[in-house]
Amino acid sequence: IPATTTPATTIPATTTPATTTTPLTTTTSVTICNSGEVKVLGDYTRSAKYGTGAPNYNCDKHDSTAKSPDWQGPGWYRFAAYNYQMMADHAPGFTHCGTAYSGWLNSDHPDVMDGEIKGNVCFQDQKHDCYLEVEVSILNCGDHYIYNLPDTPRCFYRYCGM
């Protein structure tokens, strides 16, 4: 009978470490959310509501002469301006957001408990809501989202806010 009791004690000991690994993911996410590693996209023309006919199109490509004023190359970004707080989740229209090819999230925004997820950003042209697509990472930080964004494939492509 004592031999039966010993394995029963071992089973809860195995369960405890699995429980402690879950908060580590949350702690890492919170650390990224509040770190200086996250850059801010805050140019007002990046808004999905910024209409057509912008005189100077921008792009989110670090080696372009038409680089957006708030683009600092690939990495984690937060959308934070007076007229938007997150990436647009609908096709805003061709020549919106201060560019020709408007970029929008063609995936759901995650819940906090989802952790970091992969999503797709579509770039809209004159005829297609999703002319070209790139993969991004998204993280819900509770009161805001952050996105791990690559350089856009070419100019004049830009990520839009809403």
Side-chain angles (χ1 to χ4, degrees):
I1 296 174
T4 307
T5 307
T6 305
T9 308
T10 306
I11 293 169
T14 306
T15 306
T16 304
T19 305
T20 58
T21 56
T22 304
L24 294 177
T25 305
T26 305
T27 303
T28 304
S29 298
V30 170
T31 303
I32 293 169
C33 288
N34 299 315
S35 76
E37 181 182 340
V38 179
K39 303 163 196 138
V40 174
L41 295 175
D43 179 47
Y44 74 96
T45 66
R46 189 177 289 282
S47 170
K49 292 182 180 179
Y50 190 80
T52 61
N56 298 310
Y57 290 139
N58 294 295
C59 69
D60 293 335
K61 192 163 176 55
H62 77 280
D63 61 354
S64 170
T65 56
K67 181 177 73 72
S68 300
D70 55 356
W71 184 252
Q72 299 176 48
W76 285 101
Y77 284 91
R78 176 181 180 174
F79 286 75
Y82 74 90
N83 56 348
Y84 59 83
Q85 296 299 313
M86 60 196 288
M87 186 181 290
D89 62 2
H90 62 278
F94 183 64
T95 69
H96 278 69
C97 316
T99 195
Y101 300 90
S102 310
W104 58 281
L105 186 64
N106 190 20
S107 306
D108 291 331
H109 278 90
D111 291 327
V112 174
M113 298 305 292
D114 293 334
E116 181 181 336
I117 66 163
K118 298 288 184 191
N120 294 312
V121 171
C122 285
F123 294 95
Q124 185 176 11
D125 72 0
Q126 303 95 318
K127 297 179 183 175
H128 309 94
D129 285 352
C130 196
Y131 170 71
L132 189 73
E133 198 168 359
V134 297
E135 186 177 83
V136 301
S137 295
I138 312 148
L139 184 62
N140 184 331
C141 294
D143 62 346
H144 65 279
Y145 296 98
I146 60 173
Y147 309 82
N148 196 354
L149 303 174
D151 270 342
T152 55
R154 54 181 87 104
C155 279
F156 294 97
Y157 291 67
R158 194 180 196 202
Y159 301 106
C160 297
M162 68 173 210

